[in-house]
Amino acid sequence: MNLQSSSSCSKDFLKIFFLNKTHSELLLTTICSTTSRFGLVQSPRNTISLRFKTDSELVDKGFDIQYRAMSVPFPNQYLLAYDYPSYVYSPGYPDSYESNLTYSWRISATSTNVRIRVSVELENGLENCTSTDVLVLTSLSSPDQEIAICSEGSPANSTAYEPVSFYVTITFNSSSDESGPAFRVSYQQMPGPTTTTVSTTTTTTTTTTTVRPNHCKDIQLIATETDRYLTSPGYPDQYPSNLYCFWHITAPQEKMIHVKVVDSELESSADCRFDIVKAFDGVTNHSSLLENWCDDRAPTFQSTGNTMLIIFRTDGSVNKKGFRLKYSATETPYVCSTNISVTTLGTTVYSPMYPVTYPRHMNCFWYLTTEYDVNIKLTVLDNSFRSSHYCYLDTISISDDAGEIGTLCGSNDRTFVSSGRNMRIRFYSGSYGTTGSGFKLSARGGNYEVCESQYLKAYEYNNDDLTSPRYPLSYPNNADCKWYISTYSYDDVITLEVVVSDIEYSAGCWKDYVEAFDGQYISSPSLGRWCGVLAPTKTSSGRSMTVLLHTDQSHTGGGFKITYYSKQSSQSENGSTQFNTAALFGGLAGGGFLLAILILCGRSYKKRKLTEMSQADGRTRPAYLTTPAGQLSTPSMEYTVGYSQQQVSFQPTNTGEYYNAAVFDPPPSYNEVIKTNTDCQLPSYDSLPDNSTTNTNPADSQGDDTRL
């Protein structure tokens, strides 16, 4: 194995993963140096992936690796620890391990002058975890330590153990009647403690003790491409009071010094005025200040040249654990960027030099990642920036895989929740003016709601707006947001009008959609769902309505803006009735007009036909109907009745004329004949035939039939 050596494997490296993905949570080991020893790497599943990366600088021979498939995993594995983390996993990871298993991992360092650091990551806090299995850590100079696979409450999800030994054995035995949750163990070698050997002349016993100085002085350190470590006096026990320590670090010419604080526990104060660590970009404390910290801050920083000064000062009161940092020489320009693994216990993110005023010209990034199937909740604990109206001076922006979540500037406290397992924080400070103390953020992994349910009231004379989360920015993924809208009056209904809609479109709206329900539950009757750019209007039948926004894990859009209000249900009904009545009367009027035209046309046609028939038959009107006005003639009462299939005709005996009943004209009006005519003489009743007597004459019978 011949690879270019580099600090933190930043140049050439080989990484080995299990499964067919190259995610950090699936990493088995990393190699980025030349070594003749290479330990066994075994995958917990049936696939291994390798990633080999080189830079544009030095080259070397490379690597030669043998691999083979095994039907049964090796129960005893011999592993080699490097300066960077490697991992072992429970059998079948990430699934639960099976019962009646026995495994052991024997881990050794590359040198006897180092010790091995072991970190065990467990799925603790599970509600139904009943396994009694334990992991047993055994080292050469420390008592055995047992780590329970399951534990009550919410213990640490990742626990670190640092035996003072270059050899560690991890043993695991699962019970015969139950399985248990998955676990992962990381291991790497660390610089060993300073030791002295005290020998006596009377015995042959050699006692090795750890020397922890309680004072410090001006110390000169050399930075190389390999990581080296610096600890405060007394670490990891309490540091002494009234310290004033100097560390001068020098790197080769044309290189810079990169520092990462691994652990820090100092006395806390508002402006680090009690116990503090300061780093200067040069050889004196008059050089530019690179960083200062106290409390539990663990910053990362880098010099611009090949020298750096670190000063540690304590007061005479509270003493804490201290700090531990690693430093190395590098040619890579510094980028203010940090990758952070977020657990359910949480982690803290600080602005540069917090709580002292942060520098100008900063553009820093923090990339937060948590476990699968959980998301991240970011809480602002402290926030002090230069205030600006549109956050254009100093600002912090938070985003996730769906897009920007929000921005933060000035002095306000907020909470941000990611829609997935990733979150990015960007901090920008302008180039002029005074600065603030920066920020302190708490990031915690868990199952958090991207949007909480909201209960809203609709008013009759006031329109209110309802917007999607993060509007007008892209709405989050994996969300089920609910809004419950109700009115004060039982006689009111709710109207919802979509003003803006930008929802991921899918046929049938089965991916991302908005749906309205006619009631106070999502199980109420649906009023319809929509997606894309549709902008419908929905009205409830009662005093409550529920709105649901459902999103999947893929694409997002700009969201929606909805206006909602209430109105009396009678108004809605009257409006509907007026509309229907108008339509009804309009239809009736049109139909009546058409019917009138048809009737007139029919009458005209009938009159014309009858006139033609009368003219064709040559019939004339009887004399008594054609008598001039003022004279009334009485026709002869002797009629004959003729019958045919087509019509009934009347035949006066004295004229022999036929008359059609259908063409009789009405008699003159009373005013025309009687009232206005004084000469009118009516015949006497004696002159009329006597109808009371029986007449056997056929002519008389015809007359009787005529009068009927």
Side-chain angles (χ1 to χ4, degrees), residues 333-370:
Y334 177 63
V335 177
C336 187
S337 174
T338 307
N339 296 322
I340 301 176
S341 179
V342 180
T343 66
T344 55
L345 290 178
T347 186
T348 307
V349 181
Y350 301 89
S351 59
M353 301 179 64
Y354 179 88
V356 182
T357 55
Y358 55 84
R360 294 187 291 270
H361 306 285
M362 299 297 297
N363 190 24
C364 300
F365 295 87
W366 292 264
Y367 298 93
L368 282 60
T369 304
T370 187

Side-chain angles (χ1 to χ4, degrees), residues 13-14 50 144 238 270 303 309 327 373 380 418 443 451 500 606 618:
F13 62 80
L14 172 67
L50 288 82
D144 293 351
Q238 293 182 352
S303 67
L309 171 63
Y327 60 95
D373 300 327
V380 180
S418 68
C451 51
V500 177
K606 182 177 180 181

Side-chain angles (χ1 to χ4, degrees), residues 83-100:
D83 294 335
Y84 24 83
S86 299
Y87 299 87
V88 294
Y89 299 81
S90 58
Y93 186 94
D95 297 332
S96 300
Y97 60 79
E98 300 177 354
S99 59
N100 205 22

Side-chain angles (χ1 to χ4, degrees), residues 365-368 378 397-400 405 422-426:
F365 295 87
W366 292 264
Y367 298 93
L368 282 60
L378 189 70
S397 61
I398 298 97
S399 59
D400 61 5
I405 302 176
N422 299 314
M423 179 180 283
R424 188 189 77 162
I425 304 171
R426 178 186 180 237

Side-chain angles (χ1 to χ4, degrees), residues 285-338:
N285 56 359
H286 296 289
S287 304
S288 299
L289 182 65
L290 288 173
E291 185 62 88
N292 53 219
W293 73 92
C294 62
D295 199 6
D296 58 352
R297 277 199 62 212
T300 300
F301 49 92
Q302 184 172 303
S303 67
T304 59
N306 68 330
T307 58
M308 182 185 293
L309 171 63
I310 297 178
I311 298 178
F312 178 39
R313 177 178 58 82
T314 66
D315 63 0
S317 58
V318 179
N319 301 326
K320 295 283 188 176
K321 179 181 178 181
F323 68 89
R324 182 171 184 264
L325 60 83
K326 63 179 180 181
Y327 60 95
S328 61
T330 182
E331 295 178 346
T332 304
Y334 177 63
V335 177
C336 187
S337 174
T338 307

